[in-house]
Amino acid sequence: IVPSFKPVFESPEVDLPALTAAIMAIAEWMRSYWYLMVGAVFLALPFAYQSGANIRVTFLADRLRGQVQLAVNLLVQIVSMLYCAALVFATARQAYNMMVTRTMLTNLDLPQWPGHAVVSIGLFLTTLMMLIDLPRVRAGRSSLFTES
């Protein structure tokens, strides 16, 4: 919305209020670096996973004991890892297609593929972290099972 009003406020005779100038500067920054905001979220996923700062629904697994609980946790880890790997493939393919077809954002003249590429990289790193953590999940020592 801000870029569509920008020409109204761009006049050499008018000094803009500080708040308006700040909003316009933020809008311009977001327009130029939108993929960094996407990246901040998806590249933080592996760190959140490693530190156990993710959301887990454990109403079933917490009621199980011993080997059954370990087996359920391992199964959930494998299914989650496979799902994340499927998302890596899908987002990488989408990024490639958008790069080849030069798909742009609707209202802004910016390519869409960098955002999808960053999402794909973040999901890949998360899948890798899940794979590395698999032996600890199997032993019940993963950071996923520690209470904060």
Side-chain angles (χ1 to χ4, degrees):
I1 292 175
V2 174
S4 62
F5 287 106
K6 189 175 180 182
V8 174
F9 293 112
E10 287 182 333
S11 172
E13 303 94 31
V14 178
D15 286 333
L16 294 176
L19 182 59
T20 305
I23 289 172
M24 289 178 63
I26 290 169
E28 183 62 31
W29 184 88
M30 289 175 67
R31 181 182 177 284
S32 300
Y33 301 105
W34 63 273
Y35 53 89
L36 293 177
M37 292 181 290
V38 172
V41 172
F42 282 93
L43 293 178
L45 283 176
F47 175 75
Y49 178 85
Q50 184 180 20
S51 64
N54 52 356
I55 298 172
R56 293 183 68 233
V57 179
T58 60
F59 62 91
L60 174 63
D62 286 348
R63 288 174 175 68
L64 302 174
R65 296 289 172 237
Q67 295 298 323
V68 176
Q69 185 181 38
L70 287 175
V72 168
N73 285 333
L74 186 60
L75 177 66
V76 169
Q77 180 78 355
I78 291 169
V79 169
S80 299
M81 190 173 53
L82 292 174
Y83 181 70
C84 200
L87 289 175
V88 169
F89 176 74
T91 56
R93 193 168 130 208
Q94 186 70 13
Y96 176 76
N97 288 339
M98 288 180 165
M99 184 177 68
V100 169
T101 60
R102 300 183 193 276
T103 305
M104 302 299 234
L105 292 172
T106 307
N107 294 331
L108 302 172
D109 192 24
L110 295 172
Q112 284 189 357
W113 72 266
H116 286 272
V118 169
V119 168
S120 186
I121 292 167
L123 289 170
F124 172 75
L125 293 173
T126 302
T127 305
L128 189 60
M129 292 299 300
M130 293 171 85
L131 182 62
I132 291 169
D133 197 36
L134 205 54
R136 287 188 294 269
V137 170
R138 185 172 180 204
R141 295 187 319 246
S142 172
S143 64
L144 298 174
F145 311 126
T146 60
E147 293 295 323
S148 299

